[in-house]
Amino acid sequence: MTIRNWVKFFFNALLIGGGITAIVGLIVRWEFFSSYLANGEIVEFIAALVWMIFLGFMMSVVAQMGFFAYLTVHQFGVNIFKTLTLWNWVQLLIITVVLFDLIFFRFRLTSGESGRTVLYLVLLATLITVSAVTAYIKAQWTKKHTLISALFFMIVITTLEWLPALMVRSGNIDSWVTILLFPLLAVNAYQILMLPKYNRQSEKDIEKLQQRKVERAKQAKKSKK
């Protein structure tokens, strides 16, 4: 990928992360934001919203780091297991383990917390649904064998990026767990779906650059004559 296309890729992902976090943050923590509006504290409201956008920027950077780390892990996996079919089975196994770990260890649900149980089941359903839809679209746009890899990235890597929030047990953590999931999912879906587009554009840009170099060389030869 050329530097120019990478910069576009990076900043688009950054804007998605910031925008999604701001919207979800307003919805989930509306009581917090509405108190500023009720008291006429517009500056404080804007400052809190800007901070939420900045948090989304940070989540976007985390997601982008996770994405490029996954590309390396994926290549290692194919090389280690020799065939893509075997590596896909390994990825399915890891997906199963990660989902099991989420439900029984990270969420730490109890029978006495029905409201919290519903919340985390909805978050789990959101994670799986968005991941499945993204993986399906990826397979339709590229090749069928990318389905499992895309699903692995969307579930496993997103969960790893989400894990620091899940491990916190103090404060209003359920709200933050909810807020942080959505920018990670949005940015990761954007990355895995749009990367081929930027790669193709980079190839076209490189070809145009080479053509210009050839034309300049020809013109230089003509001027010498």
Side-chain angles (χ1 to χ4, degrees), residues 43-60:
V43 175
E44 287 77 4
F45 172 83
I46 294 174
L49 185 61
V50 169
W51 185 88
M52 196 68 70
I53 293 172
F54 180 72
L55 177 64
F57 288 165
M58 290 191 294
M59 290 301 99
S60 175

